[in-house]
Amino acid sequence: MTRFAHRAQRVQPSAIREFLSLAGDPRITSFAGGYPDPRLFPMAELHSIYDDLLSAGNASALQYTASEGLPVLRALVAARLTADGMPCTAEDVLITQGGQQGLDLTAKLFIDPGDVIVTERPTFLGALIAFNPCEPDYRSVPMDEEGMDTSALEEVLRHTGRVKLIYTVPDYQNPTGRTMSLARRRRLVELAEEHDVVILEDTPYRELRYEGERLPTIKSLDTSGRVVHLGSFSKILAPGLRLGWALAAPEIREKLSLLKLAADTQNGTLNMRAVAAYLSEYDIERHVADMLPTYRHKRDLMLATMEEHFSAGITWTRAQGGLFTWATFPQRLDIAAFQRDVLMPRAGVLVVPGTPFFADRPEANHARLSFSGVPDERLVAGVRAMGELLAEALA
Ligand SMILES: Cc1ncc(COP(=O)(O)O)c(C=O)c1O
């Protein structure tokens, strides 16, 4: 279609969509989705809150409100961020349509066609989907167990013009589950300072921590207002609420608000009222703490089963939080082809082949596995079947 804008060339269905459409089939064991466990949603509490909100005298819950978000919700989010080492007020917070909108708006604010976004290698596919319409170039920086390799980042910053943004998921990253160490967080801020680049810190898994210490956010190390910090209620309450937040310096926050106004006017007032009521009337920290044993158990079970059934030459990450492990296979194995020809037809198992998580120079021998969505027995059976088919393919 020749009438489309130039940016539409970068708006393409992702290669994994056809697989994800199979994930709802009850015969399939899917490690593909990154969905939180629906049994952990606070259904009874939300039921009672919505009942109240929709009773007589509460019509304002269905009215328009400010595009930055419901003031009381902004204040409640600001209080949580302050408690997490990022002192701020309601005015500093923008309520977004999930964390995903924060990615979209930040790219729109900073990226002209040809500007460079630096990402982790691999990175969150949904971020690339959000950034692509702004027509950026990408440079990806390798990671290890301490997160983004800041020496490699330094090289990239030194040798690349037009770097505008560094995108990172420092806590239990999607797709690798890795966490950036404190030393790297500090170095990242120093380098961004030196090269005058904005950091986009994306933290939807931050509170799903199963072991280890909570590290300071990158935003909390920011002394010059160059970090845009994103968070989300998707993994700590429920993704269908579509509520997240952006914390940024006033000049940036104001522009993000205007872009939000252009995009969708505001988030649904009803959901913002509901989440504000939840935060005021219930103990969300307790709710999160209650969820952790379920995910910790799933993670442990998946990693132990991989240990038992995956052959030599296959490695995987041990996430201290979040929902994912990232497996790396011998280079000769193309996981998308293996899934299409062997894993799906013979075992009915789905993973996400790693290729689309690379912003540049994709590698085909990785997969992301989520441990959150599958009952224990099926999880074990699925990982075992995968291990057997892998052994056969690699023999
Ligand atoms: C790293 C990362 N960022 C952002 C998001 C967006 O989530 P939401 O828009 O539901 O808050 C996700 C969702 O999976 C994610 O994994």
Side-chain angles (χ1 to χ4, degrees), residues 22-30 344 347-349 378:
L22 294 171
D25 184 329
R27 291 163 302 179
I28 302 288
T29 300
S30 175
M344 255 300 293
V349 169
R378 290 193 71 167

Side-chain angles (χ1 to χ4, degrees), residues 87 97 113 196 211 244 363 376:
Q97 195 84 235
D196 193 19
E211 64 186 51
E363 294 172 9
D376 287 6

